[in-house]
Amino acid sequence: MSVHGPQHEERLASLLSGERDAADPDCARWLAECAPCRERWTALRGTCERLEQAAAERRAHLAELRSVKSAPGEERIAAALRRLAEEEPPAQARSVQRIDRGSRRWLLAFAAAAVLAGVWIAARFRDRAPVPERTWLGSERLRLIAPVGDVHSFERFEWSYDGAATSYTLRVFEARGAEPGARLIEKERLKETTWTPAAEDLAKLPRSIVWEVEALDDYRVVQASGRESASLSR
Amino acid sequence: MAETSERRSSPCGEDLALVRGVLGGDRSRLDLLAERLCCIPRILQVLNLRGGRQLGPEELDDLAQDVLVVAWRKLNEYEGLASLEGWAYGISVLEYQNAVRRRRRLLQEAQVIARRGERLDDAAHDPDPWAFEDVHEGLLRIGRDEARIIRLKHFEGRTFEEIASALELSPNTVKARYYRGIEELRPLLGARCGPTLGPLLEDEA
């Protein structure tokens, strides 16, 4: 009976890469004698077999493409790509740096901590603290339509987003110049791209406001955000 | 020399040149890229046919636009290691899965309302359109370098030597990362890939 150790790990690696053959008598004996190696080899082969099945499916799908003459949405691809190239220039796309998954996990953990900290701070300073300078995400896809600039009323808030958002968060602030002051209204989990304030909401609003919208995905991660200001015309 | 290095690191050099041209602002190549990315709606159509037509034509149309946006934003990540169609396939599969999930959730919510909260037991009748969802999602969850090597090995059918040459690594490094990647992937694929192999091992032993 052999003892499972680092050498066995190397052997498993070489078996997996094909440098060794499991049918080789020496390998067969080793696998017969070392139960952990035997179990691992079974599992590793299972994983590879599953990958091969997935690869076969992928190949079959790609081969099937040749027989597809047209598909829904195909006629819009060229125009959509031209629009994307204009609205979201490649240089902007390039500026998104690649991050390896290890770093991404840290970033996600950091982002989660930052969100929690943000929630705590917001709870403490609700209605009081001025909102700090923000970086707007995907604002080229999220457009705040109304109210913007001088308007007759704040009776309808409207925006558009051409991405896939599950919900929106709308916040309305008292305006301090062009910057937001105290938060007056916050509406979360809005499903539509419009919001009509109730009478009591309208009563809270001063003559000049700053409002912002965040588009969120299934996991409540902000996909895009934007901000506008509006004033009631005299 | 630079050309040699370029050729070595990108098995699909023409596709990479096309992408780099577009990223560099060459609008004249945009139409050619659009022509190639017409594979996106076609891939979605194939996936939908294989998956039991879970999405209607309008949903597929919308989804194609969504996938195009994702592909455009990821274009700078394209390394020329697979054809543009193979690369777009990876994105399309995941987006299609998400769309099907979203649709199912909406349907379930609607059914719950219709049945006034009756418990649903649709899963038993629901065909499994995504037998390999765990593989594609698992590859997103393991180390990026390891996943890349596994994809090249299994999806692109490349040898370790070819992968080493493409990634400018030693074959031993590639093999070590492949082993590590398979080890990382193994628990993520769970029970779907173990039990059938017992007899194989017994034969070998």
Side-chain angles (χ1 to χ4, degrees):
Chain A
M1 175 73 82
S2 63
V3 179
H4 183 79
Q7 276 189 333
H8 286 204
E9 288 292 328
E10 285 173 21
R11 282 192 200 175
L12 279 170
S14 61
L15 206 52
L16 191 69
S17 67
E19 285 172 10
R20 284 169 182 262
D21 183 358
D24 177 71
D26 185 37
C27 277
R29 193 166 47 246
W30 151 53
L31 287 172
E33 287 176 358
C34 182
C37 282
R38 198 162 57 241
E39 281 172 22
R40 288 272 296 286
W41 175 232
T42 305
L44 289 170
R45 283 210 42 182
T47 305
C48 289
E49 192 170 274
R50 189 139 182 80
L51 278 163
E52 277 308 312
Q53 290 165 350
E57 185 193 59
R58 178 181 182 273
R59 278 193 297 273
H61 287 172
L62 288 174
E64 213 171 313
L65 285 186
R66 290 186 208 113
S67 62
V68 178
K69 299 292 177 218
S70 66
E74 195 173 312
E75 68 286 350
R76 293 204 290 151
I77 290 288
L81 197 61
R82 276 196 294 275
R83 196 195 70 221
L84 276 170
E86 278 169 23
E87 290 178 1
E88 210 171 309
Q92 190 176 339
R94 261 208 315 274
S95 71
V96 180
Q97 295 295 313
R98 281 176 46 203
I99 303 165
D100 64 45
R101 296 197 75 75
S103 307
R104 201 175 295 172
R105 281 187 202 109
W106 280 108
L107 279 177
L108 282 173
F110 179 76
V115 167
L116 286 173
V119 168
W120 182 79
I121 289 166
R124 275 184 71 93
F125 298 104
R126 198 175 201 109
D127 301 339
R128 289 282 170 206
V131 175
E133 194 67 31
R134 300 183 60 160
T135 302
W136 300 107
L137 301 168
S139 53
E140 70 284 355
R141 304 173 67 206
L142 177 68
R143 201 160 61 88
L144 274 57
I145 297 168
V148 174
D150 285 341
V151 294
H152 294 298
S153 76
F154 297 138
E155 64 188 11
R156 180 178 162 90
F157 287 73
E158 185 181 353
W159 59 95
S160 70
Y161 179 54
D162 63 4
T166 308
S167 67
Y168 300 93
T169 299
L170 167 76
R171 297 187 191 90
V172 184
F173 305 90
E174 177 189 21
R176 286 186 187 155
E179 293 301 309
R183 184 166 60 209
L184 307 170
I185 292 171
E186 181 174 55
K187 297 288 173 188
E188 292 185 302
R189 299 178 194 277
L190 296 173
K191 298 294 177 193
E192 305 298 328
T193 54
T194 57
W195 177 68
T196 305
E200 65 264 29
D201 293 319
L202 279 174
K204 289 180 196 169
L205 300 180
R207 295 198 68 83
S208 294
I209 59 166
V210 170
W211 61 290
E212 65 181 36
V213 173
E214 288 175 347
L216 297 105
D217 67 7
D218 288 350
Y219 304 100
R220 305 213 20 91
V221 174
V222 176
Q223 300 297 299
S225 54
R227 183 188 285 169
E228 280 292 354
S229 55
S231 298
L232 292 176
S233 50
R234 294 174 192 275
Chain B
M1 287 304 283
E3 194 185 323
T4 312
S5 167
E6 172 84 2
R7 196 175 292 151
R8 187 189 299 156
S9 62
S10 53
C12 297
E14 286 181 14
D15 287 3
L16 185 62
L18 171 62
V19 167
R20 285 188 176 167
V22 170
L23 287 176
D26 183 354
R27 292 295 170 94
S28 66
R29 310 195 84 175
L30 209 53
D31 284 344
L32 187 54
L33 181 67
E35 209 174 287
R36 296 292 300 280
L37 291 184
C38 277
C39 67
I40 289 174
R42 294 179 183 202
I43 291 169
L44 294 172
Q45 171 136 305
V46 169
L47 294 173
N48 198 43
L49 285 173
R50 296 266 186 146
R53 297 174 193 267
Q54 304 220 19
L55 302 182
E58 284 180 9
E59 288 167 305
L60 276 181
D61 186 341
D62 288 344
L63 184 57
Q65 300 291 310
D66 292 345
V67 176
L68 182 70
V69 171
V70 174
W72 175 254
R73 290 182 171 174
K74 284 178 179 275
L75 205 57
N76 61 321
E77 295 178 19
Y78 178 70
E79 296 174 299
L81 297 173
S83 67
L84 268 172
E85 286 77 9
W87 177 75
Y89 178 86
I91 298 171
S92 303
V93 163
L94 292 168
E95 295 297 321
Y96 180 78
Q97 287 165 359
N98 286 338
V100 168
R101 263 197 292 266
R102 272 198 300 274
R103 190 175 190 279
R104 278 186 186 174
R105 201 165 50 235
L106 286 173
L107 277 175
Q108 283 177 348
E109 282 171 6
Q111 283 170 343
V112 166
I113 293 166
R115 294 177 194 180
R116 296 184 182 179
E118 245 178 59
R119 195 175 166 275
L120 289 172
D121 196 18
D122 286 347
H125 309 291
D126 204 1
D128 181 3
W130 289 112
F132 299 107
E133 182 174 358
D134 54 345
V135 174
H136 296 292
E137 293 210 335
L139 285 169
L140 287 179
R141 290 170 62 188
I142 66 171
R144 187 189 179 99
D145 292 337
E146 287 77 10
R148 184 160 57 169
I149 289 168
I150 290 173
R151 284 196 186 98
L152 285 169
K153 174 90 177 102
H154 289 277
F155 292 172
E156 299 300 320
R158 302 200 187 280
T159 65
F160 287 116
E161 284 69 25
E162 286 171 337
I163 297 169
S165 170
L167 301 181
E168 297 183 339
L169 297 169
S170 78
N172 281 342
T173 303
V174 169
K175 287 173 187 174
R177 286 185 186 173
Y178 174 72
Y179 179 63
R180 195 161 59 221
I182 296 286
E183 276 288 22
E184 283 183 41
L185 196 58
R186 186 165 57 92
L188 301 176
L189 303 193
R192 290 182 105 156
C193 61
T196 60
L197 294 172
L200 284 173
L201 185 68
E202 281 161 23
D203 288 343
E204 285 164 8

